[in-house]
Amino acid sequence: GVDFERVMVEGDDININGVATFADGVLSAASFPSFYLKGAADLSLAARRNASGALDVTATGAYFNAGPAVLQFTKGQGRSADNGDSANPWGAGIAATARIDRLELRKKVLYQDASFDLKRGADALEALNFTALNADGAPLRVNLANTGNETGPAHRIDVRSSDLGGFLKGVFGLQSMDGGQGSMALYYGGDTTGLSGEIEARKMHVVNAPLLARLFSAGSLDGLANLMQGEGIDLSYAYGEFDYGDGALSLRDFRATGPSVGVTAEGTVSLAQDGAIALNGAVAPLYQINSVLGATPIIGDFLVGRKGEGILALSYSVNGDRASPNVVVNPLSALTPGIFRQLFEPANTLPETAPQPIPVEATQSE
């Protein structure tokens, strides 16, 4: 073994001071009262390898940038990448306890008073308990549990927040939603690949969504299109199920409703650069008024069709490159009872091409 009785690295953007012990070529124990890397960490760290070979880590301090780790988790869908190399950077795993004043995720999303306990084995995340407050004091709680299922996903991550939009931005890099009180469940592991889940939220504001703006324009809903390009629109409720893997996001039974519009969507979006998109659904203008008769038993089901649509709704399809997709709206569908409206929606699938990887964002600010 090798004992480093003093480790000191100092510079304009770095200040590391502590001790470390190595045995058999790997870290056995370490203590760094000062561990500062500009843009990455300002912590006090202690670590010790336990009897099973996993590393127990305790971290307390003013700041930590977890963005790169979050990006790696979502890219790998919770698993270690299998690149044919027998070397595993996680070794036997890690157990971490941290109390951080300011925690940064992707896209510079900041949380304060962050507390998390994490356990990761050699292959996948095994335990997680995370709580924090966003910049406005809204609480976020994330917990990992085993599903207990013999088949299907082995793990479930439950997310509850008064700002789901901030969480989606910090974890997946999505920037179109502000606010959102509700919950999200993520499933992974077991005999499945990728991530699957569902989301349910209330009281959100949608901004910076050029695809929605184009959809509204194609349906001659110029007022809504102008809102999307400026102030954005309010949504009262949203629900959807999704799968995430191989660089693509698949939506099922997605619906969102608000005072000015109701939208449904199903299909697939490739998240790779210059990836493809294939979505279809319906847009119901003036949803709050449009959907009143939809609450009437039997008649409402006939007139409205799927939840999230209205008596007057325009069927649409979106396909092609995500950067400049083809948007088609069928105005005749507005005259069709909801139960028959899906006949006007063309079947949409992504082209049969090899899956494209999610673009790697190398900067720590991600």
Side-chain angles (χ1 to χ4, degrees), residues 176-180 201-209 212 216 223-224 226-238 255-263 284 286-288:
S176 297
M177 188 173 93
D178 288 337
R202 291 172 172 82
K203 297 181 180 179
M204 67 220 81
H205 188 69
V206 179
V207 295
N208 189 29
L212 269 181
F216 294 152
L224 289 174
N226 292 337
L227 279 176
M228 285 306 309
Q229 293 169 346
E231 300 175 359
I233 61 173
D234 291 320
L235 294 176
S236 306
Y237 177 81
R255 56 186 185 270
T257 59
S260 56
V261 68
V263 180
L286 299 174
Y287 177 78
Q288 207 165 51

Side-chain angles (χ1 to χ4, degrees), residues 67 147 157 179 195 327:
T147 63
I157 296 178
L195 296 171
V327 178

Side-chain angles (χ1 to χ4, degrees), residues 245-302:
D246 289 332
L249 181 68
S250 298
L251 302 178
R252 301 186 307 276
D253 192 25
F254 178 83
R255 56 186 185 270
T257 59
S260 56
V261 68
V263 180
T264 63
E266 291 192 354
T268 308
V269 180
S270 172
L271 301 184
Q273 190 174 8
D274 300 325
I277 183 171
L279 293 176
N280 58 53
V283 177
L286 299 174
Y287 177 78
Q288 207 165 51
I289 299 174
N290 196 357
S291 61
V292 170
L293 286 179
T296 306
I298 302 177
I299 296 177
D301 294 338
F302 178 80

Side-chain angles (χ1 to χ4, degrees), residues 53-333:
L55 198 62
D56 293 328
V57 178
T58 301
T60 58
Y63 171 78
F64 179 64
N65 184 356
V70 169
L71 177 61
Q72 187 64 37
F73 173 78
T74 55
K75 283 174 55 186
Q77 293 92 49
R79 299 174 178 268
S80 294
D82 182 8
N83 55 11
D85 188 348
S86 60
N88 182 353
W90 294 98
I94 185 172
T97 298
R99 305 293 180 261
I100 311 296
D101 295 338
R102 292 190 309 124
L103 181 72
E104 182 175 340
L105 302 184
R106 298 178 62 188
K107 302 296 181 183
K108 299 186 181 300
V109 173
L110 286 173
Y111 287 95
Q112 58 191 5
D113 299 332
S115 170
F116 66 88
D117 298 279
L118 173 150
K119 183 178 181 181
R120 194 193 194 287
D123 298 319
L125 187 65
E126 297 175 356
L128 174 66
N129 188 351
F130 172 70
T131 60
L133 302 174
N134 73 356
D136 297 324
L140 168 68
R141 184 179 298 274
V142 181
N143 297 101
L144 173 68
N146 294 324
T147 63
N149 297 331
E150 294 184 1
T151 60
H155 306 293
R156 168 177 172 148
I157 296 178
D158 289 309
V159 181
R160 293 187 176 275
S161 175
S162 298
D163 181 18
L164 280 177
F167 178 81
L168 292 173
K169 181 179 179 181
V171 174
F172 294 102
L174 304 178
Q175 304 184 73
S176 297
M177 188 173 93
D178 288 337
Q181 301 174 4
S183 62
M184 182 168 66
L186 294 171
Y187 299 90
Y188 73 96
D191 57 6
T192 64
T193 59
L195 296 171
S196 62
E198 59 183 346
I199 184 171
E200 184 174 25
R202 291 172 172 82
K203 297 181 180 179
M204 67 220 81
H205 188 69
V206 179
V207 295
N208 189 29
L211 179 59
L212 269 181
R214 288 193 58 183
L215 180 59
F216 294 152
S217 293
S220 298
L221 306 176
D222 294 332
L224 289 174
N226 292 337
L227 279 176
M228 285 306 309
Q229 293 169 346
E231 300 175 359
I233 61 173
D234 291 320
L235 294 176
S236 306
Y237 177 81
Y239 172 84
E241 300 173 5
F242 59 89
D243 295 310
Y244 177 74
D246 289 332
L249 181 68
S250 298
L251 302 178
R252 301 186 307 276
D253 192 25
F254 178 83
R255 56 186 185 270
T257 59
S260 56
V261 68
V263 180
T264 63
E266 291 192 354
T268 308
V269 180
S270 172
L271 301 184
Q273 190 174 8
D274 300 325
I277 183 171
L279 293 176
N280 58 53
V283 177
L286 299 174
Y287 177 78
Q288 207 165 51
I289 299 174
N290 196 357
S291 61
V292 170
L293 286 179
T296 306
I298 302 177
I299 296 177
D301 294 338
F302 178 80
L303 293 176
V304 174
R306 292 172 298 194
K307 292 181 179 180
E309 299 180 5
I311 295 174
L312 298 177
L314 305 173
S315 296
Y316 72 86
S317 65
V318 179
N319 55 67
D321 292 336
R322 188 159 51 92
S324 56
N326 300 314
V327 178
V328 179
V329 173
N330 189 338
L332 294 178
S333 61

